[in-house]
Amino acid sequence: VQNVALEHLVDGSTAAAYNDALTLAGKIGVTATVTDADGDTASTGVINVGGAVTFLDDGPSITSAVVGSSVTLDETNNGPTTDGVLTPALMTATSAAAIVTVTSNYGADGAGTTTYALSVTQANSGLATAQGDHAITLVQIGNTIEGQYNDGATHTAFTVSIGSDCKLTVGPNDRLEHLVECSAAAVYKDALTLAGKIGVTATVTDA
């Protein structure tokens, strides 16, 4: 009978790590004793049976991971500029909830941690600055992504970061070149996205 989860020695994300074995080899034994009708006995001595007792590990699992929120920034909120440079305090936005909703199970070992990592999946953002039409490249810096451009020097047009709560924060520094041009009010709100450009990896670690 096993009452508590045991500390297994192999950590990792593979099936083998989830199922590494512990045994009691060399730790416990059995002695067989035969007694006849008039009380005479014969014994085997200690037979090592610990190797026949095996405790297999369990591992965590993620059954579902879906986009659960979004971040929208409206350049109108910043007000007019003369050089296309925005005021970060006015423009920074954070998703209302976790950007990814993860359904997970820590397994028999119990709750550990769930962490989130941001990554670039396509460095060519397809975006450009409104002033100068400088192409913006996505660059990974730790757990933050910078949208960088070069006009003779390297500048950061915007940043994207993720918190321990999986909320996504976007902080723009420069106005972006929007693709639809017209005098209609609807065109003033045409949208740019980072679809297919960035991703999140969720990692569940058991106790």
Side-chain angles (χ1 to χ4, degrees):
V1 176
Q2 183 177 352
N3 296 318
V4 297
L6 302 179
E7 177 65 23
H8 286 254
L9 305 180
V10 180
D11 295 328
S13 59
T14 64
Y18 294 169
N19 221 35
D20 62 308
L22 300 173
T23 77
L24 293 176
K27 309 298 183 183
I28 61 175
V30 170
T31 300
T33 300
V34 175
T35 304
D36 66 14
D38 67 357
D40 299 322
T41 62
S43 298
T44 61
V46 177
I47 303 169
N48 186 352
V49 297
V53 180
T54 301
F55 302 92
L56 295 176
D57 197 6
D58 185 28
S61 62
I62 296 176
T63 55
S64 165
V66 296
V67 176
S69 189
S70 62
V71 184
T72 300
L73 301 101
D74 188 343
E75 292 179 354
T76 306
N77 296 337
N78 184 86
T81 74
T82 57
D83 57 3
V85 178
L86 302 173
T87 304
L90 296 175
M91 290 297 297
T92 299
T94 300
S95 61
I99 199 70
V100 173
T101 300
V102 175
T103 302
S104 62
N105 188 325
Y106 286 109
D109 291 333
T113 60
T114 301
T115 59
Y116 306 94
L118 199 58
S119 61
V120 175
T121 58
Q122 171 57 261
N124 179 4
S125 72
L127 307 177
T129 61
Q131 293 278 338
D133 285 332
H134 301 294
I136 296 173
T137 300
L138 301 178
V139 179
Q140 184 93 39
I141 300 179
N143 208 23
T144 297
I145 293 172
E146 292 188 357
Q148 297 183 353
Y149 68 95
N150 193 295
D151 62 357
T154 299
H155 303 279
T156 301
F158 58 84
T159 60
V160 183
S161 60
I162 193 165
S164 59
D165 56 2
C166 199
K167 290 184 178 180
L168 202 67
T169 298
V170 181
N173 298 319
D174 293 272
R175 289 190 183 274
L176 302 180
E177 178 66 23
H178 288 253
L179 305 179
V180 181
E181 297 178 355
C182 183
S183 60
V187 173
Y188 296 164
K189 295 291 185 182
D190 64 307
L192 302 172
T193 79
L194 291 175
K197 309 296 183 178
I198 63 174
V200 171
T201 300
T203 301
V204 175
T205 304
D206 64 17

